[in-house]
Amino acid sequence: MSDCIFCRIAAGEIPAKKVYEDELVLAFHDVRPQAPVHILVIPKQHIPSMAELAPEHEAMMGRLMVTAGRIAVEQGCSSGFRTIVNTGRVGLQEVYHLHLHILGGPDPLPPMLKR
Ligand code: DGP
């Protein structure tokens, strides 16, 4: 989709600090990091959110999850990390191209769902 920022990153039209890429998924640093390590892992295929996932996406999502764990460790999160998928209005999703956040760093992260 030409108006989707993450599709444009996947197409190389917008620069990003890429950390991994294969035929199905792409990982790059979040432009507004919320932790010392903050990486996004996306499918190259445009899927707006987790709510649109269907059985034909199972293999790709398996690749995405396996890749995310490996990247997290490679990027220095061997003592642990958090993964988040924000979905829709209630999930405060900002970019409507499915993505998994990897958040980590040397120190424990703040508690989840803190207001
Ligand atoms: P969310 O949709 O709320 O799960 O978060 C979207 C994330 O995407 C947010 O942390 C900032 C990041 N982001 C938005 N635009 C860009 C961009 O152009 N480049 C990169 N690297 N990250 C972006």
Side-chain angles (χ1 to χ4, degrees):
M1 282 198 11
S2 59
D3 59 344
C4 168
I5 196 143
F6 287 176
C7 282
R8 296 189 68 194
I9 287 173
E13 295 170 11
I14 293 178
K17 282 174 63 184
K18 294 181 183 179
V19 297
Y20 177 78
E21 179 169 17
D22 64 27
E23 79 280 14
L24 295 178
V25 302
L26 171 67
F28 52 93
H29 289 272
D30 193 293
V31 79
R32 294 197 309 269
Q34 307 289 315
V37 175
H38 189 169
I39 291 166
L40 303 173
V41 190
I42 68 166
K44 287 190 168 176
Q45 179 184 356
H46 183 80
I47 300 167
S49 82
M50 200 161 181
E52 283 77 30
L53 283 175
E56 68 260 29
H57 301 129
E58 283 177 7
M60 181 275 293
M61 287 305 292
R63 174 78 63 86
L64 191 149
M65 294 301 286
V66 170
T67 300
R70 184 174 52 72
I71 288 171
V73 172
E74 282 175 6
Q75 294 291 316
C77 299
S78 53
S79 297
F81 54 92
R82 181 174 291 153
T83 51
I84 298 174
V85 180
N86 294 319
T87 303
R89 179 181 62 83
V90 172
L92 296 183
Q93 184 176 0
E94 174 192 325
V95 177
Y96 278 78
H97 181 125
L98 176 60
H99 52 282
L100 179 83
H101 295 256
I102 299 171
L103 296 149
D107 302 317
L109 297 164
M112 279 180 63
L113 305 179
K114 214 172 79 175
R115 286 182 187 268

